[in-house]
Amino acid sequence: MNTDRIALVTGGSGGIGQSVVERLAADGFAVAVHYAGNRAKADALAERLAESGHRAIAVGGDVADENAMAAAFDATEEAFGGIDVVVNTAGIMILGPVATFDLDALDRMHRTNIRGTFVVSQLAATRLRAGGALINVSTSQTRLQHPTYGAYAASKAAVEGLTMVLARELRGKDITVNAVAPGPVATPLFLDGKDEETIARLAALPPLERLGQPEDIGEVVAFLAGPARWINGQVLFANGGIA
């Protein structure tokens, strides 16, 4: 049990984010549940964890706004005394062919996925305590390269590049920096707008022949946040074995 460890999870009220929050809390972490727009959901999650004996608070802010996120880091430190783990699950996914992709949508997605990840990573680089971990979230689409995922995969390829470089820039700090690249995971974000045939086809892609569950990603994050101190500067593809 990591009873003296503190984590800040961006997008903590979302599908994967919520699973990460619950998994880290189960491991004994005090957790700051970050939200951008859904304060009620983040508050409810933090309250539910507190009622179960865990330490949890909700913190808000646009991940791409450096001042708002500095305030979220401040609030976490003030509540718990420091930050040991930052998990960057906040992100948006907009799909469409490259040839006709709306550039305003591209800018909106890249603001959250690239600038937001950069802002949070920048803060983590200066705020994490020794022995800490930064875990960013990419996507298996950087490897799978399915049609309509071009803009999204481009934003997440940037996340992977940032993660690799930052791991090396933090030499001597005893801080690990890694990324998790999920495959298809049964979250509202993923399932929205897909018919049953599409979902079944995607579920058949992994050799395990099922969609990932948010808890599957939570397990990988908990590994990187806790015992996996010799894994650094890596992208872990958590996708059930999709080639």
Side-chain angles (χ1 to χ4, degrees):
M1 296 287 286
N2 296 297
T3 54
D4 60 343
R5 300 269 280 173
I6 296 101
L8 167 61
V9 181
T10 74
S13 62
I16 289 176
Q18 179 176 330
S19 179
V20 168
V21 166
E22 292 172 340
R23 182 64 173 79
L24 292 179
D27 278 356
F29 279 78
V31 185
V33 183
H34 164 269
Y35 64 91
N38 197 334
R39 177 174 180 172
K41 190 173 180 181
D43 282 340
L45 176 56
E47 289 169 8
R48 187 168 74 250
L49 289 171
E51 289 169 359
S52 300
H54 302 292
R55 296 178 296 159
I57 61 170
V59 296
D62 174 2
V63 289
D65 182 332
E66 64 272 28
N67 296 316
M69 291 312 299
F73 273 72
D74 289 342
T76 304
E77 291 174 340
E78 289 167 8
F80 300 127
I83 303 178
D84 300 289
V85 172
V86 171
V87 187
N88 216 6
T89 77
I92 60 175
M93 180 172 63
I94 305 170
L95 304 183
V98 171
T100 57
F101 201 85
D102 180 76
L103 294 181
D104 289 337
L106 179 74
D107 290 343
R108 187 166 72 254
M109 182 163 57
H110 283 202
R111 184 177 190 278
T112 296
N113 294 1
I114 297 179
R115 181 184 169 90
T117 300
F118 196 99
V119 165
V120 174
S121 296
Q122 190 174 60
L123 286 163
T126 59
R127 301 287 195 101
L128 284 171
R129 298 190 291 198
L134 168 63
I135 302 150
N136 289 323
V137 175
S138 181
T139 173
S140 288
Q141 285 298 336
T142 59
R143 178 182 290 177
L144 299 175
Q145 301 154 2
H146 289 154
T148 76
Y149 282 87
Y152 178 66
S155 73
K156 291 301 190 174
V159 169
E160 292 184 10
L162 166 63
T163 300
M164 300 303 97
V165 172
L166 182 56
R168 286 142 184 87
E169 289 182 347
L170 294 183
R171 172 182 291 274
K173 301 289 188 181
D174 191 24
I175 294 169
T176 62
V177 187
N178 294 289
V180 178
V185 177
T187 64
L189 176 69
F190 173 79
L191 296 173
D192 182 47
K194 294 182 175 68
D195 58 32
E196 290 185 9
E197 181 181 352
T198 300
I199 293 170
R201 177 175 55 80
L202 292 170
L205 289 177
L208 296 178
E209 294 188 334
R210 68 171 176 86
L211 292 176
Q213 297 299 314
E215 294 77 14
D216 293 320
I217 309 306
E219 288 288 343
V220 177
V221 170
F223 177 58
L224 293 173
R229 297 304 303 167
W230 197 233
I231 298 177
N232 189 29
Q234 303 298 318
V235 180
L236 272 64
F237 285 84
N239 59 27
I242 301 176

